[in-house]
Amino acid sequence: MTSERLIVVASKQNNPVLCCMNEAEKNILGLHLPTDPRWVNLAAISLEEILTDHAYCEQKAATSCISLIQRYPDKEAMVNALAPIVTEEWGHFRLVLQELRKRNLHLGKQRKDEYVNKLLQFEIKGGREDDRLLDKLLIFALIEARSCERFKRLSEGLDDDYLRNFYRRFMESEAGHYVTFIELAETYVDKEKVRKRWQEWLAYEAGVIQHLEMRGDRMH
Ligand SMILES: [Fe+2]
Ligand SMILES: [Fe+2]
C-alpha cells in the first residue's frame, strides 16, 4: 500500500479528523514527525531484538483491546469492533514468533516501553468519562499510526525482499486499526472535540518521538 493509498483509506467517509491528513501528505496518517531514515539501518542489524520488540507490541495491542472491552462492556459498537482486532493482533504475535523460530532466533524479554509510557503521561486521568474514553481511543489510534509508519519504513527500506513483504502486511493491518479507533472515538464523542484533541495528541507525540533515543532494537 502506498502512502497515498493509506491516506485514501484513512480519509474515507469525508471524516473531518481523517481528512485533515490530506494536508499532511508528507507524513503518514497525519503524524507530525517522520521517523529518521537511519532507524531502518539500525533495525536491520538487530533482527532478533526488533522482532522480539515487535512481538510484544502485538501482544500489548491484543491485551489492551481486551482491557478496553472489560472496562466498557456496555459500549456495544466498540466491543464488536475490538473483538476481531484482538484476534488479529494475537495472530500478528504468532506470525512474529514464527519468524523468530524459523530463523533460529529467540523471543527475548519484554522491555520497558518508554514510548507508550510517555504517551500515557499526557492522558486525561480524571474528569468526564467521555473525555477519558476519548483519550484512550486516541492513544490506541496514535500507537497504530506510528507502528504503521515504522512498518512502512521497514517495508521500503530493508534490502531483503521477504522482510519487506513481511512488514508490508503489518503496515496495512495497522492502518485499518488506526481508522477503526478514530471512528470509534467519533461514535462516542462529538467530532469537533475529537478533531481538536487529536491535533493535541499529534503535537505531543511528535515531541515524544523527538526526545526518544533512536534505537534499532525497538519498534518505537
Ligand atoms: Fe498488529
Ligand atoms: Fe494494530
Side-chain angles (χ1 to χ4, degrees), residues 2-14:
T2 63
S3 55
E4 291 72 24
R5 170 125 170 72
L6 281 174
I7 288 160
V8 170
V9 167
S11 60
K12 64 183 187 176
Q13 297 174 345
N14 281 338

Side-chain angles (χ1 to χ4, degrees), residues 17-41:
V17 169
L18 303 173
C19 276
C20 309
M21 292 186 309
N22 292 331
E23 296 158 22
E25 287 194 10
K26 59 185 187 298
N27 295 328
I28 296 171
L29 304 179
L31 294 170
H32 287 187
L33 195 70
T35 291
D36 187 320
R38 290 171 299 176
W39 173 74
V40 174
N41 303 329

Side-chain angles (χ1 to χ4, degrees), residues 3 9 12-13 28 36 39 45 47 62 65 69 72 110 141 147 150-151 153-154 164 174 180-181 211 219:
S3 55
V9 167
K12 64 183 187 176
Q13 297 174 345
I28 296 171
D36 187 320
W39 173 74
I45 54 172
L47 196 59
C65 284
I69 291 171
Y72 300 99
Q110 185 164 0
S147 304
R150 294 273 157 119
F151 291 136
R153 303 282 168 226
L154 293 169
R164 283 210 299 271
E174 312 310 356
T180 300
F181 284 113
H211 291 102
M219 277 309 302

Side-chain angles (χ1 to χ4, degrees), residues 5-115:
R5 170 125 170 72
L6 281 174
I7 288 160
V8 170
V9 167
S11 60
K12 64 183 187 176
Q13 297 174 345
N14 281 338
N15 184 302
V17 169
L18 303 173
C19 276
C20 309
M21 292 186 309
N22 292 331
E23 296 158 22
E25 287 194 10
K26 59 185 187 298
N27 295 328
I28 296 171
L29 304 179
L31 294 170
H32 287 187
L33 195 70
T35 291
D36 187 320
R38 290 171 299 176
W39 173 74
V40 174
N41 303 329
L42 293 176
I45 54 172
S46 342
L47 196 59
E48 187 168 42
E49 288 84 358
I50 197 82
L51 285 171
T52 288
D53 194 59
H54 179 182
Y56 287 118
C57 287
E58 301 295 357
Q59 171 264 311
K60 281 177 275 185
T63 44
S64 305
C65 284
I66 292 172
S67 302
L68 217 49
I69 291 171
Q70 288 173 315
R71 188 175 171 134
Y72 300 99
D74 55 321
K75 301 225 177 311
E76 281 191 24
M78 189 162 88
V79 173
N80 292 345
L82 294 183
I85 294 184
V86 172
T87 311
E88 247 184 88
E89 301 291 24
W90 193 246
H92 289 170
F93 174 85
R94 294 182 65 192
L95 280 173
V96 181
L97 188 62
Q98 198 178 29
E99 205 52 40
L100 279 162
R101 300 284 186 248
K102 202 179 84 186
R103 293 166 183 268
N104 256 334
L105 300 173
H106 302 286
L107 179 69
K109 285 222 189 299
Q110 185 164 0
R111 53 140 183 124
K112 202 171 114 208
D113 196 331
E114 287 175 61
Y115 172 72

